[in-house]
PDB file of all heavy atoms in Angstrom:
ATOM      1  N   ARG A  77      -3.514  65.321  25.884  1.00  0.00           N
ATOM      2  CA  ARG A  77      -3.849  63.969  25.438  1.00  0.00           C
ATOM      3  C   ARG A  77      -2.531  63.233  25.207  1.00  0.00           C
ATOM      4  O   ARG A  77      -1.648  63.751  24.528  1.00  0.00           O
ATOM      5  CB  ARG A  77      -4.646  64.034  24.141  1.00  0.00           C
ATOM      6  CG  ARG A  77      -5.063  62.681  23.599  1.00  0.00           C
ATOM      7  CD  ARG A  77      -5.628  62.773  22.199  1.00  0.00           C
ATOM      8  NE  ARG A  77      -6.869  63.533  22.128  1.00  0.00           N
ATOM      9  CZ  ARG A  77      -7.038  64.631  21.416  1.00  0.00           C
ATOM     10  NH1 ARG A  77      -6.057  65.121  20.697  1.00  0.00           N
ATOM     11  NH2 ARG A  77      -8.190  65.264  21.406  1.00  0.00           N
ATOM     12  N   ILE A  78      -2.435  62.070  25.781  1.00  0.00           N
ATOM     13  CA  ILE A  78      -1.224  61.268  25.599  1.00  0.00           C
ATOM     14  C   ILE A  78      -1.614  59.991  24.874  1.00  0.00           C
ATOM     15  O   ILE A  78      -2.495  59.260  25.335  1.00  0.00           O
ATOM     16  CB  ILE A  78      -0.571  60.928  26.948  1.00  0.00           C
ATOM     17  CG1 ILE A  78      -0.189  62.222  27.666  1.00  0.00           C
ATOM     18  CG2 ILE A  78       0.652  60.044  26.751  1.00  0.00           C
ATOM     19  CD1 ILE A  78       0.184  62.015  29.111  1.00  0.00           C
ATOM     20  N   VAL A  79      -0.997  59.778  23.748  1.00  0.00           N
ATOM     21  CA  VAL A  79      -1.317  58.600  22.937  1.00  0.00           C
ATOM     22  C   VAL A  79      -0.104  57.694  22.889  1.00  0.00           C
ATOM     23  O   VAL A  79       0.980  58.120  22.482  1.00  0.00           O
ATOM     24  CB  VAL A  79      -1.741  59.002  21.505  1.00  0.00           C
ATOM     25  CG1 VAL A  79      -2.084  57.770  20.682  1.00  0.00           C
ATOM     26  CG2 VAL A  79      -2.931  59.945  21.543  1.00  0.00           C
ATOM     27  N   ARG A  80      -0.282  56.480  23.329  1.00  0.00           N
ATOM     28  CA  ARG A  80       0.802  55.506  23.273  1.00  0.00           C
ATOM     29  C   ARG A  80       0.418  54.398  22.301  1.00  0.00           C
ATOM     30  O   ARG A  80      -0.647  53.815  22.422  1.00  0.00           O
ATOM     31  CB  ARG A  80       1.061  54.899  24.653  1.00  0.00           C
ATOM     32  CG  ARG A  80       1.820  55.833  25.581  1.00  0.00           C
ATOM     33  CD  ARG A  80       1.635  55.418  27.009  1.00  0.00           C
ATOM     34  NE  ARG A  80       2.350  54.175  27.309  1.00  0.00           N
ATOM     35  CZ  ARG A  80       3.612  54.136  27.749  1.00  0.00           C
ATOM     36  NH1 ARG A  80       4.265  55.242  27.966  1.00  0.00           N
ATOM     37  NH2 ARG A  80       4.195  52.992  27.993  1.00  0.00           N
ATOM     38  N   GLU A  81       1.290  54.156  21.356  1.00  0.00           N
ATOM     39  CA  GLU A  81       1.037  53.133  20.340  1.00  0.00           C
ATOM     40  C   GLU A  81       1.909  51.914  20.610  1.00  0.00           C
ATOM     41  O   GLU A  81       3.088  52.059  20.936  1.00  0.00           O
ATOM     42  CB  GLU A  81       1.400  53.669  18.945  1.00  0.00           C
ATOM     43  CG  GLU A  81       0.611  54.880  18.535  1.00  0.00           C
ATOM     44  CD  GLU A  81      -0.502  54.546  17.565  1.00  0.00           C
ATOM     45  OE1 GLU A  81      -0.801  53.348  17.396  1.00  0.00           O
ATOM     46  OE2 GLU A  81      -1.058  55.486  16.980  1.00  0.00           O
ATOM     47  N   PHE A  82       1.303  50.754  20.438  1.00  0.00           N
ATOM     48  CA  PHE A  82       2.064  49.518  20.567  1.00  0.00           C
ATOM     49  C   PHE A  82       1.879  48.691  19.300  1.00  0.00           C
ATOM     50  O   PHE A  82       0.782  48.653  18.748  1.00  0.00           O
ATOM     51  CB  PHE A  82       1.567  48.687  21.757  1.00  0.00           C
ATOM     52  CG  PHE A  82       1.860  49.314  23.093  1.00  0.00           C
ATOM     53  CD1 PHE A  82       1.046  50.323  23.573  1.00  0.00           C
ATOM     54  CD2 PHE A  82       2.942  48.910  23.842  1.00  0.00           C
ATOM     55  CE1 PHE A  82       1.300  50.908  24.809  1.00  0.00           C
ATOM     56  CE2 PHE A  82       3.210  49.486  25.074  1.00  0.00           C
ATOM     57  CZ  PHE A  82       2.388  50.491  25.554  1.00  0.00           C
ATOM     58  N   ARG A  83       2.961  48.103  18.843  1.00  0.00           N
ATOM     59  CA  ARG A  83       2.885  47.198  17.700  1.00  0.00           C
ATOM     60  C   ARG A  83       3.538  45.888  18.096  1.00  0.00           C
ATOM     61  O   ARG A  83       4.623  45.888  18.654  1.00  0.00           O
ATOM     62  CB  ARG A  83       3.613  47.772  16.483  1.00  0.00           C
ATOM     63  CG  ARG A  83       3.021  49.045  15.999  1.00  0.00           C
ATOM     64  CD  ARG A  83       2.826  49.068  14.481  1.00  0.00           C
ATOM     65  NE  ARG A  83       1.978  50.194  14.142  1.00  0.00           N
ATOM     66  CZ  ARG A  83       0.694  50.075  13.827  1.00  0.00           C
ATOM     67  NH1 ARG A  83       0.125  48.898  13.766  1.00  0.00           N
ATOM     68  NH2 ARG A  83      -0.008  51.140  13.552  1.00  0.00           N
ATOM     69  N   TRP A  84       2.869  44.813  17.786  1.00  0.00           N
ATOM     70  CA  TRP A  84       3.354  43.490  18.187  1.00  0.00           C
ATOM     71  C   TRP A  84       3.671  43.513  19.667  1.00  0.00           C
ATOM     72  O   TRP A  84       4.696  43.016  20.099  1.00  0.00           O
ATOM     73  CB  TRP A  84       4.587  43.065  17.372  1.00  0.00           C
ATOM     74  CG  TRP A  84       4.264  42.823  15.940  1.00  0.00           C
ATOM     75  CD1 TRP A  84       4.542  43.641  14.885  1.00  0.00           C
ATOM     76  CD2 TRP A  84       3.587  41.701  15.391  1.00  0.00           C
ATOM     77  NE1 TRP A  84       4.071  43.081  13.725  1.00  0.00           N
ATOM     78  CE2 TRP A  84       3.487  41.894  13.999  1.00  0.00           C
ATOM     79  CE3 TRP A  84       3.053  40.531  15.965  1.00  0.00           C
ATOM     80  CZ2 TRP A  84       2.854  40.972  13.180  1.00  0.00           C
ATOM     81  CZ3 TRP A  84       2.438  39.615  15.121  1.00  0.00           C
ATOM     82  CH2 TRP A  84       2.351  39.855  13.753  1.00  0.00           C
ATOM     83  N   TRP A  85       2.803  44.105  20.442  1.00  0.00           N
ATOM     84  CA  TRP A  85       2.895  44.176  21.905  1.00  0.00           C
ATOM     85  C   TRP A  85       4.127  44.917  22.396  1.00  0.00           C
ATOM     86  O   TRP A  85       4.482  44.859  23.552  1.00  0.00           O
ATOM     87  CB  TRP A  85       2.846  42.769  22.526  1.00  0.00           C
ATOM     88  CG  TRP A  85       1.570  42.082  22.185  1.00  0.00           C
ATOM     89  CD1 TRP A  85       0.357  42.289  22.748  1.00  0.00           C
ATOM     90  CD2 TRP A  85       1.372  41.087  21.178  1.00  0.00           C
ATOM     91  NE1 TRP A  85      -0.586  41.485  22.145  1.00  0.00           N
ATOM     92  CE2 TRP A  85       0.006  40.735  21.178  1.00  0.00           C
ATOM     93  CE3 TRP A  85       2.230  40.453  20.269  1.00  0.00           C
ATOM     94  CZ2 TRP A  85      -0.525  39.782  20.318  1.00  0.00           C
ATOM     95  CZ3 TRP A  85       1.693  39.513  19.408  1.00  0.00           C
ATOM     96  CH2 TRP A  85       0.330  39.179  19.438  1.00  0.00           C
ATOM     97  N   ARG A  86       4.787  45.602  21.493  1.00  0.00           N
ATOM     98  CA  ARG A  86       5.962  46.366  21.930  1.00  0.00           C
ATOM     99  C   ARG A  86       5.660  47.840  21.782  1.00  0.00           C
ATOM    100  O   ARG A  86       5.033  48.266  20.821  1.00  0.00           O
ATOM    101  CB  ARG A  86       7.181  45.976  21.096  1.00  0.00           C
ATOM    102  CG  ARG A  86       7.627  44.572  21.423  1.00  0.00           C
ATOM    103  CD  ARG A  86       8.764  44.156  20.553  1.00  0.00           C
ATOM    104  NE  ARG A  86       9.924  45.024  20.747  1.00  0.00           N
ATOM    105  CZ  ARG A  86      11.111  44.753  20.253  1.00  0.00           C
ATOM    106  NH1 ARG A  86      11.298  43.667  19.551  1.00  0.00           N
ATOM    107  NH2 ARG A  86      12.112  45.568  20.443  1.00  0.00           N
ATOM    108  N   PHE A  87       6.166  48.596  22.711  1.00  0.00           N
ATOM    109  CA  PHE A  87       5.957  50.020  22.697  1.00  0.00           C
ATOM    110  C   PHE A  87       6.523  50.610  21.406  1.00  0.00           C
ATOM    111  O   PHE A  87       7.627  50.287  20.998  1.00  0.00           O
ATOM    112  CB  PHE A  87       6.649  50.636  23.917  1.00  0.00           C
ATOM    113  CG  PHE A  87       6.558  52.131  23.943  1.00  0.00           C
ATOM    114  CD1 PHE A  87       5.348  52.753  24.145  1.00  0.00           C
ATOM    115  CD2 PHE A  87       7.693  52.894  23.760  1.00  0.00           C
ATOM    116  CE1 PHE A  87       5.269  54.128  24.166  1.00  0.00           C
ATOM    117  CE2 PHE A  87       7.622  54.267  23.785  1.00  0.00           C
ATOM    118  CZ  PHE A  87       6.409  54.885  23.990  1.00  0.00           C
ATOM    119  N   SER A  88       5.731  51.441  20.757  1.00  0.00           N
ATOM    120  CA  SER A  88       6.176  51.977  19.474  1.00  0.00           C
ATOM    121  C   SER A  88       6.349  53.490  19.513  1.00  0.00           C
ATOM    122  O   SER A  88       7.360  54.013  19.057  1.00  0.00           O
ATOM    123  CB  SER A  88       5.166  51.544  18.418  1.00  0.00           C
ATOM    124  OG  SER A  88       5.050  52.449  17.388  1.00  0.00           O
ATOM    125  N   SER A  89       5.384  54.214  20.039  1.00  0.00           N
ATOM    126  CA  SER A  89       5.550  55.659  20.067  1.00  0.00           C
ATOM    127  C   SER A  89       4.638  56.284  21.107  1.00  0.00           C
ATOM    128  O   SER A  89       3.629  55.704  21.491  1.00  0.00           O
ATOM    129  CB  SER A  89       5.256  56.269  18.698  1.00  0.00           C
ATOM    130  OG  SER A  89       3.867  56.213  18.448  1.00  0.00           O
ATOM    131  N   GLU A  90       5.011  57.441  21.552  1.00  0.00           N
ATOM    132  CA  GLU A  90       4.170  58.181  22.484  1.00  0.00           C
ATOM    133  C   GLU A  90       4.128  59.632  22.042  1.00  0.00           C
ATOM    134  O   GLU A  90       5.166  60.232  21.759  1.00  0.00           O
ATOM    135  CB  GLU A  90       4.734  58.088  23.914  1.00  0.00           C
ATOM    136  CG  GLU A  90       3.923  58.946  24.884  1.00  0.00           C
ATOM    137  CD  GLU A  90       4.286  58.727  26.347  1.00  0.00           C
ATOM    138  OE1 GLU A  90       4.362  57.553  26.756  1.00  0.00           O
ATOM    139  OE2 GLU A  90       4.475  59.717  27.054  1.00  0.00           O
ATOM    140  N   THR A  91       2.915  60.152  21.925  1.00  0.00           N
ATOM    141  CA  THR A  91       2.784  61.555  21.553  1.00  0.00           C
ATOM    142  C   THR A  91       1.916  62.260  22.584  1.00  0.00           C
ATOM    143  O   THR A  91       0.974  61.689  23.114  1.00  0.00           O
ATOM    144  CB  THR A  91       2.136  61.715  20.163  1.00  0.00           C
ATOM    145  OG1 THR A  91       0.948  60.922  20.118  1.00  0.00           O
ATOM    146  CG2 THR A  91       3.058  61.305  19.048  1.00  0.00           C
ATOM    147  N   THR A  92       2.270  63.484  22.840  1.00  0.00           N
ATOM    148  CA  THR A  92       1.493  64.303  23.767  1.00  0.00           C
ATOM    149  C   THR A  92       1.039  65.539  23.015  1.00  0.00           C
ATOM    150  O   THR A  92       1.856  66.230  22.409  1.00  0.00           O
ATOM    151  CB  THR A  92       2.355  64.724  24.970  1.00  0.00           C
ATOM    152  OG1 THR A  92       2.891  63.556  25.571  1.00  0.00           O
ATOM    153  CG2 THR A  92       1.529  65.487  25.996  1.00  0.00           C
ATOM    154  N   GLU A  93      -0.251  65.770  23.014  1.00  0.00           N
ATOM    155  CA  GLU A  93      -0.752  66.962  22.349  1.00  0.00           C
ATOM    156  C   GLU A  93      -1.641  67.737  23.301  1.00  0.00           C
ATOM    157  O   GLU A  93      -2.401  67.146  24.068  1.00  0.00           O
ATOM    158  CB  GLU A  93      -1.513  66.596  21.069  1.00  0.00           C
ATOM    159  CG  GLU A  93      -2.026  65.175  21.030  1.00  0.00           C
ATOM    160  CD  GLU A  93      -2.749  64.838  19.742  1.00  0.00           C
ATOM    161  OE1 GLU A  93      -3.786  65.450  19.492  1.00  0.00           O
ATOM    162  OE2 GLU A  93      -2.264  63.944  19.025  1.00  0.00           O
ATOM    163  N   PRO A  94      -1.554  69.040  23.256  1.00  0.00           N
ATOM    164  CA  PRO A  94      -2.405  69.844  24.127  1.00  0.00           C
ATOM    165  C   PRO A  94      -3.846  69.844  23.642  1.00  0.00           C
ATOM    166  O   PRO A  94      -4.114  69.851  22.445  1.00  0.00           O
ATOM    167  CB  PRO A  94      -1.784  71.239  24.045  1.00  0.00           C
ATOM    168  CG  PRO A  94      -1.018  71.264  22.776  1.00  0.00           C
ATOM    169  CD  PRO A  94      -0.649  69.849  22.434  1.00  0.00           C
ATOM    170  N   VAL A  95      -4.771  69.794  24.569  1.00  0.00           N
ATOM    171  CA  VAL A  95      -6.196  69.845  24.232  1.00  0.00           C
ATOM    172  C   VAL A  95      -6.719  71.230  24.577  1.00  0.00           C
ATOM    173  O   VAL A  95      -7.459  71.852  23.826  1.00  0.00           O
ATOM    174  CB  VAL A  95      -6.976  68.766  25.016  1.00  0.00           C
ATOM    175  CG1 VAL A  95      -8.472  68.880  24.760  1.00  0.00           C
ATOM    176  CG2 VAL A  95      -6.492  67.381  24.621  1.00  0.00           C
ATOM    177  N   GLU A  96      -6.308  71.702  25.741  1.00  0.00           N
ATOM    178  CA  GLU A  96      -6.733  73.004  26.245  1.00  0.00           C
ATOM    179  C   GLU A  96      -5.452  73.687  26.696  1.00  0.00           C
ATOM    180  O   GLU A  96      -4.634  73.082  27.378  1.00  0.00           O
ATOM    181  CB  GLU A  96      -7.593  72.729  27.459  1.00  0.00           C
ATOM    182  CG  GLU A  96      -8.860  73.453  27.738  1.00  0.00           C
ATOM    183  CD  GLU A  96      -9.885  73.670  26.691  1.00  0.00           C
ATOM    184  OE1 GLU A  96      -9.746  74.645  25.958  1.00  0.00           O
ATOM    185  OE2 GLU A  96     -10.854  72.924  26.664  1.00  0.00           O
ATOM    186  N   THR A  97      -5.257  74.894  26.251  1.00  0.00           N
ATOM    187  CA  THR A  97      -4.016  75.564  26.646  1.00  0.00           C
ATOM    188  C   THR A  97      -4.310  76.913  27.279  1.00  0.00           C
ATOM    189  O   THR A  97      -4.947  77.766  26.664  1.00  0.00           O
ATOM    190  CB  THR A  97      -3.082  75.757  25.430  1.00  0.00           C
ATOM    191  OG1 THR A  97      -2.941  74.508  24.765  1.00  0.00           O
ATOM    192  CG2 THR A  97      -1.709  76.239  25.868  1.00  0.00           C
ATOM    193  N   PHE A  98      -3.897  77.048  28.506  1.00  0.00           N
ATOM    194  CA  PHE A  98      -3.973  78.324  29.194  1.00  0.00           C
ATOM    195  C   PHE A  98      -2.553  78.715  29.582  1.00  0.00           C
ATOM    196  O   PHE A  98      -1.716  77.843  29.841  1.00  0.00           O
ATOM    197  CB  PHE A  98      -4.836  78.216  30.459  1.00  0.00           C
ATOM    198  CG  PHE A  98      -6.280  77.886  30.180  1.00  0.00           C
ATOM    199  CD1 PHE A  98      -6.758  76.601  30.362  1.00  0.00           C
ATOM    200  CD2 PHE A  98      -7.155  78.867  29.734  1.00  0.00           C
ATOM    201  CE1 PHE A  98      -8.088  76.285  30.106  1.00  0.00           C
ATOM    202  CE2 PHE A  98      -8.489  78.561  29.474  1.00  0.00           C
ATOM    203  CZ  PHE A  98      -8.954  77.270  29.651  1.00  0.00           C
ATOM    204  N   THR A  99      -2.320  79.997  29.594  1.00  0.00           N
ATOM    205  CA  THR A  99      -0.971  80.422  29.977  1.00  0.00           C
ATOM    206  C   THR A  99      -0.785  80.190  31.474  1.00  0.00           C
ATOM    207  O   THR A  99      -1.707  80.377  32.263  1.00  0.00           O
ATOM    208  CB  THR A  99      -0.750  81.911  29.646  1.00  0.00           C
ATOM    209  OG1 THR A  99      -1.897  82.651  30.076  1.00  0.00           O
ATOM    210  CG2 THR A  99      -0.558  82.105  28.160  1.00  0.00           C
ATOM    211  N   VAL A 100       0.402  79.751  31.801  1.00  0.00           N
ATOM    212  CA  VAL A 100       0.706  79.486  33.209  1.00  0.00           C
ATOM    213  C   VAL A 100       1.989  80.216  33.592  1.00  0.00           C
ATOM    214  O   VAL A 100       2.789  80.585  32.732  1.00  0.00           O
ATOM    215  CB  VAL A 100       0.890  77.970  33.477  1.00  0.00           C
ATOM    216  CG1 VAL A 100      -0.421  77.239  33.287  1.00  0.00           C
ATOM    217  CG2 VAL A 100       1.962  77.392  32.590  1.00  0.00           C
ATOM    218  N   ASP A 101       2.138  80.401  34.868  1.00  0.00           N
ATOM    219  CA  ASP A 101       3.377  80.998  35.362  1.00  0.00           C
ATOM    220  C   ASP A 101       4.530  80.054  35.055  1.00  0.00           C
ATOM    221  O   ASP A 101       4.352  78.846  34.958  1.00  0.00           O
ATOM    222  CB  ASP A 101       3.286  81.214  36.881  1.00  0.00           C
ATOM    223  CG  ASP A 101       2.221  82.245  37.218  1.00  0.00           C
ATOM    224  OD1 ASP A 101       1.918  83.090  36.356  1.00  0.00           O
ATOM    225  OD2 ASP A 101       1.686  82.185  38.348  1.00  0.00           O
ATOM    226  N   GLU A 102       5.695  80.637  34.939  1.00  0.00           N
ATOM    227  CA  GLU A 102       6.853  79.812  34.576  1.00  0.00           C
ATOM    228  C   GLU A 102       7.157  78.754  35.615  1.00  0.00           C
ATOM    229  O   GLU A 102       7.643  77.677  35.295  1.00  0.00           O
ATOM    230  CB  GLU A 102       8.091  80.716  34.392  1.00  0.00           C
ATOM    231  CG  GLU A 102       8.229  81.204  32.959  1.00  0.00           C
ATOM    232  CD  GLU A 102       9.427  82.119  32.791  1.00  0.00           C
ATOM    233  OE1 GLU A 102      10.433  81.898  33.472  1.00  0.00           O
ATOM    234  OE2 GLU A 102       9.328  83.055  31.976  1.00  0.00           O
ATOM    235  N   ASP A 103       6.870  79.076  36.863  1.00  0.00           N
ATOM    236  CA  ASP A 103       7.204  78.103  37.911  1.00  0.00           C
ATOM    237  C   ASP A 103       6.026  77.192  38.258  1.00  0.00           C
ATOM    238  O   ASP A 103       6.071  76.466  39.235  1.00  0.00           O
ATOM    239  CB  ASP A 103       7.722  78.831  39.164  1.00  0.00           C
ATOM    240  CG  ASP A 103       6.694  79.844  39.687  1.00  0.00           C
ATOM    241  OD1 ASP A 103       5.697  80.101  38.969  1.00  0.00           O
ATOM    242  OD2 ASP A 103       6.890  80.384  40.792  1.00  0.00           O
ATOM    243  N   HIS A 104       4.980  77.244  37.434  1.00  0.00           N
ATOM    244  CA  HIS A 104       3.818  76.395  37.701  1.00  0.00           C
ATOM    245  C   HIS A 104       4.158  74.927  37.457  1.00  0.00           C
ATOM    246  O   HIS A 104       4.753  74.573  36.457  1.00  0.00           O
ATOM    247  CB  HIS A 104       2.646  76.819  36.797  1.00  0.00           C
ATOM    248  CG  HIS A 104       1.459  75.919  36.883  1.00  0.00           C
ATOM    249  ND1 HIS A 104       0.603  75.923  37.944  1.00  0.00           N
ATOM    250  CD2 HIS A 104       0.997  74.961  36.040  1.00  0.00           C
ATOM    251  CE1 HIS A 104      -0.342  75.011  37.737  1.00  0.00           C
ATOM    252  NE2 HIS A 104      -0.124  74.416  36.599  1.00  0.00           N
ATOM    253  N   GLU A 105       3.760  74.111  38.388  1.00  0.00           N
ATOM    254  CA  GLU A 105       3.958  72.672  38.191  1.00  0.00           C
ATOM    255  C   GLU A 105       2.594  72.027  38.035  1.00  0.00           C
ATOM    256  O   GLU A 105       1.772  72.072  38.940  1.00  0.00           O
ATOM    257  CB  GLU A 105       4.691  72.069  39.392  1.00  0.00           C
ATOM    258  CG  GLU A 105       6.189  72.077  39.200  1.00  0.00           C
ATOM    259  CD  GLU A 105       6.913  71.255  40.260  1.00  0.00           C
ATOM    260  OE1 GLU A 105       6.452  70.127  40.547  1.00  0.00           O
ATOM    261  OE2 GLU A 105       7.914  71.761  40.772  1.00  0.00           O
TER     262      GLU A 105
END
Side-chain angles (χ1 to χ4, degrees):
R77 181 190 295 120
I78 300 168
V79 181
R80 284 160 71 90
E81 299 258 12
F82 292 80
R83 298 227 167 257
W84 293 104
W85 300 282
R86 290 176 61 170
F87 176 68
S88 149
S89 72
E90 176 171 312
T91 50
T92 305
E93 22 181 296
V95 176
E96 222 46 275
T97 309
F98 296 102
T99 45
V100 293
D101 294 335
E102 270 179 34
D103 57 350
H104 174 75
E105 269 191 45

